[in-house]
Amino acid sequence: MKKVSNSGCIPNSWYKALHQSHPKTVTLARILKSGKPGNPREYDLFGCEKTAEDVIARLERNNPGDHWVKA
């Protein structure tokens, strides 16, 4: 096993494994006033969010009256 230095750095293999475990963004479209989906945008996952539904719940909680769908 490689020894990790005190600099706080981790080996590249660990970094890649940690960052490939789940996606960091989801693509969502906001529903416009006309009822059609708007342009798709990528939204970041924060905290313990793991799915698009978690992100949609956060966006709708923080933006009352607006609705999002998976793009």
Side-chain angles (χ1 to χ4, degrees), residues 19-63:
H19 291 283
Q20 290 177 354
S21 61
H22 59 81
K24 296 180 189 179
T25 62
V26 293
T27 304
L28 304 174
R30 187 171 63 89
I31 301 298
L32 304 174
K33 291 180 182 178
S34 64
K36 297 178 182 178
N39 291 333
R41 292 185 54 196
E42 285 192 358
Y43 292 90
D44 292 328
L45 296 167
F46 289 109
C48 61
E49 296 174 345
K50 303 256 187 252
T51 64
E53 288 78 19
D54 296 335
V55 177
I56 290 171
R58 172 177 47 92
L59 290 171
E60 290 180 350
R61 184 177 61 246
N62 292 335
N63 301 285

